Amino acid sequence: MSPYKKSLITPFKLVVIAFIVLLLANCSALEPIETPTVEQSNPLAIQAQEALSQQQFSRAAMLFKQLAKNSQAPLKNQYLISAIEAYFSAGDLANADSLIDSLLTRSSQLTSDNKLSLATLLLEQGKAEDAISVLMSVSELNLNNEQRIDLHTLTSSAFFQAGNLIESARERIILDALINEPTSKLNNQLDLVNVLSLLSEHALRALLPTADNNMAGWVDLAIIKKQQVTFIPNSSDVESWKQQYPTHAANGSFLLTMAKQSQENFIAPNKVGVFLPSQGPFSQAAFSVRKGITAAAYSMANKWPLNIHFYDTSSAPVETLYQQAISDGVNIIIGPLDKINLSKIALLPDLPIPVIGLNKNGSHHSSHYVEFSLSPEEDITQILSFAWLKGHQKALILTPQSNSGERLAGHFSSLWQKLGGQVLDVQTYEANQADYSTAIKSLLQIDDSVYRFKQLRQRLNLNIKFEERRRHDADFIFLLASPREGRLIKPQLRFHRAADIAVFSTSKIYEGEQNKGANRDLDDVFFCDMPWLIEPNKQQNGSLNQALKQWPNTRGLHRRLTAFGYDAYQLIPHLEHLKSNHFARLDGKTGILSMNNNVINRQLSCGQFQRGQVKSLGLAPHLERTMNMQSVVPSPQHTEQVNTTPL
């Protein structure tokens, strides 16, 4: 048993709890679940395999259960695991979860192979805590080296999903000692440094006092990597590291490999074009984005000389500006910001100049078009995953009476139910009110208890005492609200005896500034937002914080747009690496950035209001299941015609 697995680490309780499905090269190559070998003489086994091949998953699951009933362990358990997988393929989450629970209650009877198969399946379904519990019960005494590698690879992946990059990195250190094949060993070491580099510098330094010499060497190397735009193997910092760790596993050719990889992954163009309006409804948002671009350009000037040309999309057709940019020798374009101009750009043939579009646009087809946005749907997907990881199942939704509020509530409801949760009720409220008790009482079914009381008093004809009661079947409330609305709604929930129901919200509930007095009314609310706003004092945020001192009135949405512009610019040298490597990540201000199908995904950070201040809970969940799901809720038609928001 690994010395790092003596106790299960409760999610979100560490110095920094980080959560991201960063299945890097070694981490992604998990062994598939092996279906029990078909016995030629067993008709049921043959029928089960045929049902799978014909995608008759429910029938296959029933056949595997019947096979399990007629078999002895360990084959019995492997058949049950195959039944679970078939149920998941059929979308039958209830039966799958029931079988999982039955196996978990008798995990001591499972063989090591059973446990590894079950853990793999649990990870695929986002059940990381259960997977960790299973993996920690595996004894290494009778495992060969290859099995140990499989175990620690799975465990590293599980800690990613369960909320702990630190323990995931420690598993990779164990793997470093187990892996003998040179290429696999090198890839694991690169992944190890990349994993640690996603932690804040503060979190990394907090690890050093208790780390052994091997772990400390990796941590110090990750700190150096974070401080350099591209890793320089002969820099003074690296030379000092070499002297401090002369016998470390990374002290040798690995440093040159890491430097080569760093250089290859940083491709800076000569000239950048920016398409933003100076007038019209998007002009203020554009000004904030421009501030962020400027701040990023100056912060990277020592590595990438400034050469930016701004084009005014409110002064000429965007197609004309694009042709002008070609004539000007522009190598890449940031923008436009509004959906109308984005759709025009996306329809241009070939796109000889690559474009980073700054809004949602699902109609692009060119490989030179990259979509980057502050999508509220992305916020919801991550806060939803956060609630799921914390074990919640039954949701209540409280949302404003607006097209966007109802659309986002529908998005949450659709994904939550696909994930396996339940939505017990949805209640809307009128914004800009002072009293939200009507909507709250309806959501909590308090009106029902009042009605029952009146009926009882009328039947009995007695003057009996009454204490209103709320429903008790819900795990949490998903609240869509602005800061003002949230500060009124949360105390009213407490007044109506719902203080013990967890409340989850999106970044919309946070202004982006520490306001201890006003935010006390939001205490205990969970939300996910940009890492820069959750932890504004992280050392690597210094350049953006310093730049904002020149624009002290940048608040709320415009702070987010400034960070958005910052990331849009710093993305440019890393685009090819992000595009070519599904597991590549960039530590941005708006989130941990990755790319999938030419869309930039943002890994947010989560926080909770405590005594009026935001307490960081680390990176938000990024479960593969939720990221691969598509909401079936259609957007209202008129929202496609009116472009009033850059988000």
Side-chain angles (χ1 to χ4, degrees):
M1 178 71 70
S2 161
Y4 301 111
K5 296 195 291 181
K6 291 182 179 177
S7 62
L8 178 59
I9 297 180
T10 305
F12 317 107
K13 301 281 186 175
L14 295 175
V15 176
V16 169
I17 298 297
F19 187 133
I20 183 174
V21 176
L22 180 64
L23 297 180
L24 300 162
N26 289 339
C27 193
S28 64
L30 302 180
E31 293 293 326
I33 296 174
E34 295 183 3
T35 303
T37 304
V38 176
E39 299 174 43
Q40 297 299 322
S41 60
N42 191 328
L44 282 180
I46 297 173
Q47 291 175 42
Q49 291 291 349
E50 289 176 347
L52 284 179
S53 65
Q54 296 169 9
Q55 297 188 347
Q56 298 174 356
F57 299 116
S58 295
R59 180 169 176 267
M62 295 301 296
L63 289 169
F64 280 127
K65 284 178 65 177
Q66 196 169 346
L67 282 163
K69 186 177 181 181
N70 299 330
S71 303
Q72 299 295 320
L75 189 59
K76 173 187 179 73
N77 296 323
Q78 193 63 54
Y79 277 132
L80 289 175
I81 292 169
S82 294
I84 293 169
E85 186 176 25
Y87 274 133
F88 276 130
S89 297
D92 190 343
L93 301 178
N95 274 317
D97 288 340
S98 177
L99 283 182
I100 287 173
D101 289 341
S102 69
L103 284 176
L104 291 177
T105 56
R106 52 187 180 83
S107 63
S108 60
Q109 301 174 24
L110 304 179
T111 66
S112 295
D113 285 339
N114 289 155
K115 290 177 180 180
L116 293 177
S117 295
L118 179 58
T120 302
L121 183 56
L122 290 169
L123 284 176
E124 289 175 354
Q125 299 302 320
K127 297 178 179 292
E129 287 300 304
D130 287 338
I132 288 177
S133 179
V134 171
L135 291 166
M136 288 178 62
S137 68
V138 176
S139 172
E140 295 189 50
L141 294 177
N142 297 319
L143 299 184
N144 59 38
N145 194 66
E146 185 177 349
Q147 290 173 317
R148 287 193 176 99
I149 290 173
D150 290 342
L151 171 63
H152 291 289
T153 300
L154 269 173
T155 308
S156 178
S157 301
F159 275 123
F160 265 116
Q161 292 194 35
N164 196 341
L165 285 177
I166 296 171
E167 290 302 311
S168 181
R170 283 179 168 145
E171 290 296 316
R172 290 202 168 275
I173 291 175
I174 297 173
L175 281 168
D176 185 54
L178 294 172
I179 298 173
N180 296 316
E181 199 279 317
T183 301
S184 298
K185 191 178 189 70
L186 176 61
N187 287 335
N188 180 68
Q189 291 174 340
L190 289 169
D191 293 346
L192 169 56
V193 176
N194 289 333
V195 168
L196 289 172
S197 298
L198 293 178
L199 290 165
S200 70
E201 190 170 328
H202 173 76
L204 290 170
R205 293 194 183 280
L207 282 174
L208 290 173
T210 57
D212 59 26
N213 189 68
N214 189 25
M215 178 69 167
W218 292 113
V219 170
D220 276 335
L221 197 58
I223 291 173
I224 294 172
K225 183 176 183 291
K226 288 180 72 70
Q227 293 174 340
Q228 299 180 356
V229 177
T230 56
F231 185 75
I232 305 171
N234 57 355
S235 65
S236 59
D237 288 338
V238 176
E239 290 299 326
S240 297
W241 181 90
K242 290 179 181 178
Q243 294 176 15
Q244 186 174 357
Y245 303 100
T247 60
H248 196 275
N251 195 344
S253 60
F254 172 78
L255 296 176
L256 295 176
T257 302
M258 192 165 77
K260 181 182 178 182
Q261 184 189 74
S262 178
Q263 293 288 343
E264 290 174 348
N265 295 341
F266 190 92
I267 305 173
N270 293 324
K271 191 171 187 178
V272 177
V274 180
F275 283 17
L276 292 173
S278 64
Q279 300 176 12
F282 283 84
S283 59
Q284 289 187 339
F287 181 64
S288 296
V289 172
R290 180 169 178 157
K291 289 189 294 187
I293 291 172
T294 303
Y298 277 102
S299 71
M300 302 173 72
N302 61 336
K303 176 67 178 178
W304 178 16
L306 279 75
N307 192 0
I308 307 175
H309 192 95
F310 289 90
Y311 297 84
D312 185 0
T313 56
S314 58
S315 66
V318 72
E319 300 93 336
T320 302
L321 295 178
Y322 190 86
Q323 293 303 317
Q324 182 62 49
I326 294 176
S327 300
D328 293 340
V330 167
N331 304 112
I332 192 165
I333 293 169
I334 299 175
L337 189 59
D338 64 291
K339 291 183 178 179
I340 293 176
N341 276 326
L342 278 174
S343 63
K344 293 177 180 178
I345 284 283
L347 293 174
L348 292 176
D350 299 329
L351 286 181
I353 306 177
V355 173
I356 302 177
L358 300 180
N359 209 324
K360 298 292 289 184
N361 179 26
S363 62
H364 61 86
H365 303 289
S366 172
S367 61
H368 285 173
Y369 186 96
V370 174
E371 179 182 293
F372 186 33
S373 71
L374 302 182
S375 166
E377 282 82 2
E378 195 171 54
D379 284 20
I380 286 175
T381 299
Q382 294 185 55
I383 193 66
L384 171 153
S385 300
F386 184 53
W388 179 259
L389 184 74
K390 290 182 75 67
H392 297 299
Q393 293 278 340
K394 300 177 181 179
L396 298 172
I397 301 176
L398 188 58
T399 183
Q401 290 178 5
S402 65
N403 290 317
S404 63
E406 292 176 18
R407 185 188 83 244
L408 295 177
H411 180 76
F412 178 94
S413 179
S414 174
L415 293 190
W416 186 251
Q417 291 177 81
K418 285 184 178 182
L419 193 61
Q422 293 179 259
V423 176
L424 302 180
D425 198 2
V426 180
Q427 184 64 45
T428 61
Y429 64 86
E430 292 186 16
N432 300 318
Q433 303 294 311
D435 185 1
Y436 297 94
S437 60
T438 300
I440 290 171
K441 289 169 73 174
S442 178
L443 186 71
L444 299 176
Q445 294 183 345
I446 291 175
D447 289 339
D448 292 348
S449 73
V450 174
Y451 176 73
R452 289 192 298 270
F453 161 71
K454 289 180 178 179
Q455 280 193 320
L456 182 63
R457 183 175 60 182
Q458 187 175 6
R459 284 201 305 269
L460 298 178
N461 196 24
L462 294 173
N463 185 22
I464 54 179
K465 293 182 179 181
F466 169 70
E467 181 177 330
E468 66 178 25
R469 296 182 179 180
R470 65 163 178 85
R471 66 192 306 162
H472 289 277
D473 56 347
D475 296 327
F476 74 104
I477 296 171
F478 174 59
L479 172 64
L480 278 166
S482 68
R484 176 198 172 275
E485 294 159 354
R487 289 166 185 154
L488 291 169
I489 290 173
K490 186 61 171 67
Q492 290 179 40
L493 284 169
R494 186 164 53 249
F495 176 79
H496 289 294
R497 296 173 173 80
D500 58 334
I501 301 183
V503 177
F504 291 77
S505 190
T506 67
S507 61
K508 184 181 179 183
I509 204 167
Y510 182 42
E511 287 177 326
E513 298 178 73
Q514 297 286 0
N515 189 339
K516 189 173 181 179
N519 288 337
R520 275 189 174 273
D521 286 332
L522 292 172
D523 273 1
D524 300 326
V525 174
F526 295 100
F527 69 103
C528 297
D529 206 339
M530 297 180 179
W532 174 54
L533 298 178
I534 296 290
E535 296 185 83
N537 297 321
K538 287 200 310 186
Q539 186 168 340
Q540 56 266 42
N541 289 328
S543 58
L544 185 54
N545 292 339
Q546 189 65 31
L548 278 181
K549 291 181 180 179
Q550 301 178 39
W551 303 290
N553 294 322
T554 304
R555 301 182 181 279
L557 170 63
H558 291 279
R559 292 175 68 85
R560 292 184 169 88
L561 289 170
T562 302
F564 184 45
Y566 192 103
D567 276 0
Y569 186 85
Q570 75 159 343
L571 264 171
I572 293 173
H574 303 279
L575 279 178
E576 289 305 314
H577 179 54
L578 291 171
K579 187 181 296 185
S580 62
N581 186 346
H582 177 65
F583 307 106
R585 298 295 188 271
L586 178 65
D587 191 1
K589 310 303 178 188
T590 63
I592 302 295
L593 307 178
S594 61
M595 189 187 302
N596 186 23
N597 295 325
N598 277 40
V599 175
I600 299 297
N601 298 312
R602 298 182 303 119
Q603 183 72 35
L604 304 178
S605 289
C606 288
Q608 184 184 30
F609 290 102
Q610 294 184 5
R611 297 182 179 180
Q613 295 182 315
V614 175
K615 178 184 178 182
S616 173
L617 301 176
L619 291 175
H622 204 168
L623 299 180
E624 287 293 331
R625 285 184 66 198
T626 56
M627 297 308 296
N628 293 332
M629 291 176 185
Q630 295 295 323
S631 174
V632 297
V633 180
S635 300
Q637 288 185 352
H638 71 274
T639 61
E640 300 298 324
Q641 301 169 356
V642 182
N643 295 285
T644 59
T645 173
L647 302 184

